[in-house]
Amino acid sequence: MTAVDYNDLRDFIGLVESMGDLKRVDGASADFELGAITEVAAGLPACPALLFDQIPGLRPGHRVFTNATVSTRRAALALGIDPTLPPLEVLKAWKSRRVELKPLDPVSVKDAAFLENSQFGDQVDLSVFPCPIWHKRDGGPYIGSGSLVITKDPDEGWVNAAIYRVQVHGPNRVTIQFDHKGRHGAMISRKYWDRGQPCPVAIVNGQDPALFIAGFEYLPERQSEYAFAGAIKQAPIETFALPVTGLPVPARAEIILEGMLLPFDQDNLPEGPFGEFTGYYAADRRPAPVMDVQAVHYRSNPILLGSPPLKPPRFHFGIPFRAASIWANLEACGVADVVGAWQHVSQLMTVIAIKQRYAGHAKRAGLIAAANSYMGRIVVVVDEDVDPSNLADVMWAVTTRAEPSEDVDIVRNAWSSSLDPRLSMEDRNAGRTSNSKMIIDACIPFELLGSYPPTSALSVEEAQAVRRRWPDILA
């Protein structure tokens, strides 16, 4: 385990560049070209992080940073884990550390980096910032694809800092899409609206990776994302109370919007469509609440952190957090000798590796994993000699150890989402969002463990030892 060694997004970009992982791009248009470059780069074997500048129509120095944590190396760097570790070891390290994290409350400071420049009232003009149209069929420009939306519960005072998408509709108007009424931001907003009041809100653009991670983690109600990010960094997040709303925001962020989220029944605008993480447009335009942006604050030469959903297997983070949760769930249920877990295709395919101890061991692990696999249609269980993070290894096991007529089970009416592109229109309109899940037992049959043809391949441990011995050759 290494320490998190960045204070803000600019520090992190410097670390990424020192690793040789950064590419600078000048002259790309914010209208789809910037997003297209991001998508193609994310599909490269050695996916680079990208820093866009000289964007047509914008002042030089107003930049966009994308693919920040798409690779395993940069995801590990963001978490304070050794970036030279193999992917499965990074996930294992995070799984262990996640259990031990102790929330660290933020501290209030009296100055903020983003106060270098401010606009108030009629001065507010969001067109001075990069607001990309990420995908060619998106409904408009989005300043918020990896941005934090800050709200504060009016009764209990707890602060929610989660990632919701933010579409720009004019110089001082944006919409915030909460996806569904169960999101904490939506619940807090509703409390204000039920009293006939607008909801104070702030949008944080260009936060550091620990805050980005905290923003997409599913934390329980009333648990602070700031405290979670502080735990990752092992240092408290510095926050500053904004002049208009009084909301606490990260003092080292790049661009801050603050204002009021108007009651939905008083003002709303059609939002979207927006390309989803499945690689499809799963929903048409739909009404979303409008934020009246009353003030903007930003650092000189600001950087927007862009994290648009992309066609799988491209994903916003280089290790699958939900795989770590499923791994922990398996252990909590008493499933012995789980040696690894991973998710492929943007978490839509789950792989569990076990050391078989008894007949039915693999089936038990597969059923539990399927029950905890959000939206996924495929669960594969493999033996301990298969690296679940390596899709080629997994398919080797599927094609040489699984007999389709015997080792495939289908679970029907399982956990899915309205984002599932395979849902029929009838089911979607009725609110039915379940799907089926296929469980493939790609383990050597338990009764044949002693007689199955021996493999010629290196074990996972042997392969890791070779990588450690020859890092320059096999990096």
Side-chain angles (χ1 to χ4, degrees):
M1 188 76 63
T2 59
V4 168
D5 193 24
Y6 55 83
N7 290 315
D8 58 17
L9 184 61
R10 298 185 186 205
D11 283 352
F12 184 75
I13 292 171
L15 292 173
V16 169
E17 187 163 31
S18 69
M19 291 169 58
D21 276 19
L22 182 72
K23 289 190 180 295
R24 297 175 181 271
V25 184
D26 289 344
S29 169
D31 292 347
F32 175 57
E33 187 174 31
L34 190 154
I37 296 170
T38 295
E39 180 170 331
V40 172
L44 297 175
C47 160
L50 302 173
L51 186 61
F52 293 90
D53 200 350
Q54 306 289 333
I55 300 169
L58 296 178
R59 183 181 301 173
H62 286 218
R63 296 161 288 172
V64 180
F65 182 53
T66 67
N67 289 344
T69 53
V70 168
S71 74
T72 303
R73 277 162 49 93
R74 297 193 296 277
L77 184 70
L79 291 167
I81 295 170
D82 182 356
T84 66
L85 289 174
L88 187 59
E89 292 302 308
V90 173
L91 184 66
K92 189 181 297 185
W94 170 247
K95 172 177 167 285
S96 299
R97 188 178 171 200
R98 179 68 175 84
V99 174
E100 300 168 356
L101 282 181
K102 294 186 180 359
L104 195 57
D105 289 336
V107 296
S108 178
V109 296
K110 299 190 178 191
D111 196 12
F114 55 73
L115 295 178
E116 290 177 325
N117 306 275
S118 291
Q119 301 172 351
F120 292 94
D122 293 341
Q123 297 176 332
V124 171
D125 181 8
L126 299 181
S127 69
V128 303
F129 304 112
C131 301
I133 298 176
W134 292 105
H135 319 93
K136 59 186 175 183
R137 291 187 178 88
D138 285 357
Y142 280 80
I143 196 171
S145 59
S147 304
L148 294 177
V149 175
I150 314 300
T151 52
K152 185 176 182 179
D153 186 275
D155 299 322
E156 301 176 40
W158 63 279
V159 173
N160 180 240
I163 292 176
Y164 307 112
R165 70 192 196 211
V166 180
Q167 183 177 350
V168 176
H169 294 268
N172 64 346
R173 283 162 69 83
V174 303
T175 51
I176 300 174
Q177 182 56 264
F178 292 120
D179 298 330
H180 62 75
K181 295 179 181 179
R183 298 291 192 196
H184 295 156
M187 294 162 60
I188 291 173
S189 300
R190 177 61 60 186
K191 287 189 175 185
Y192 287 93
W193 298 342
D194 287 346
R195 300 170 188 182
Q197 302 172 357
C199 174
V201 64
I203 298 172
V204 178
N205 308 282
Q207 72 279 19
D208 74 40
L211 286 159
F212 175 64
I213 293 163
F216 67 69
E217 265 279 68
Y218 290 135
L219 299 181
E221 189 176 1
R222 299 178 183 82
Q223 186 169 329
S224 167
E225 285 84 7
Y226 290 161
F228 186 83
I232 292 174
K233 298 179 74 172
Q234 301 175 47
I237 300 298
E238 294 181 346
T239 62
F240 177 83
L242 290 173
V244 173
T245 61
L247 290 169
V249 299
R252 296 176 179 269
E254 295 283 329
I255 307 167
I256 304 292
L257 317 184
E258 61 169 328
M260 295 293 167
L261 194 62
L262 305 177
F264 184 81
D265 58 0
Q266 292 182 21
D267 200 356
N268 60 76
L269 286 170
E271 190 271 350
F274 190 59
E276 303 288 356
F277 80 97
T278 57
Y280 294 89
Y281 288 90
D284 294 326
R285 283 185 173 231
R286 49 183 168 163
V290 175
M291 176 188 178
D292 176 26
V293 183
Q294 299 175 352
V296 172
H297 317 280
Y298 59 100
R299 299 179 70 167
S300 296
N301 297 323
I303 304 170
L304 178 73
L305 174 62
S307 183
L310 300 172
K311 174 187 172 184
R314 305 158 186 87
F315 199 56
H316 64 261
F317 206 70
I319 63 169
F321 279 172
R322 285 182 183 153
S325 299
I326 292 173
W327 191 345
N329 289 338
L330 287 163
E331 292 177 343
C333 290
V335 179
D337 286 324
V338 178
V339 298
W342 200 262
Q343 288 180 313
H344 300 274
V345 199
S346 299
Q347 304 186 114
L348 298 177
M349 173 180 174
T350 300
V351 183
I352 307 298
I354 65 170
K355 181 175 177 60
Q356 291 190 77
R357 296 296 187 184
Y358 49 87
H361 191 174
K363 182 67 65 65
R364 183 184 179 197
L367 287 168
I368 294 171
N372 289 276
S373 178
Y374 172 67
M375 280 190 69
R377 281 189 166 79
I378 301 175
V379 174
V380 181
V381 186
V382 296
D383 290 296
E384 77 275 13
D385 64 335
V386 176
D387 180 353
S389 71
N390 186 317
L391 189 55
D393 275 10
V394 173
M395 295 311 299
W396 170 71
V398 169
T399 54
T400 62
R401 297 180 181 181
E403 178 57 49
S405 65
E406 300 173 9
D407 296 321
V408 176
D409 291 284
I410 306 295
V411 177
R412 290 174 171 77
N413 201 30
W415 187 26
S416 189
S417 162
S418 61
L419 296 181
D420 188 341
R422 184 62 176 79
L423 291 175
S424 70
M425 191 57 65
E426 179 185 359
D427 284 346
R428 193 182 299 278
N429 291 337
R432 294 188 291 265
T433 58
S434 63
N435 67 1
S436 60
K437 299 185 187 296
M438 176 171 63
I439 302 173
I440 302 174
D441 180 354
C443 294
I444 294 171
F446 182 73
E447 66 276 11
L448 300 179
L449 280 177
S451 59
Y452 209 75
T455 175
S456 61
L458 295 170
S459 69
V460 174
E461 293 77 12
E462 288 169 338
Q464 289 175 359
V466 171
R467 291 190 189 98
R468 286 192 295 268
R469 181 172 171 81
W470 300 95
D472 295 338
I473 304 298
L474 302 172

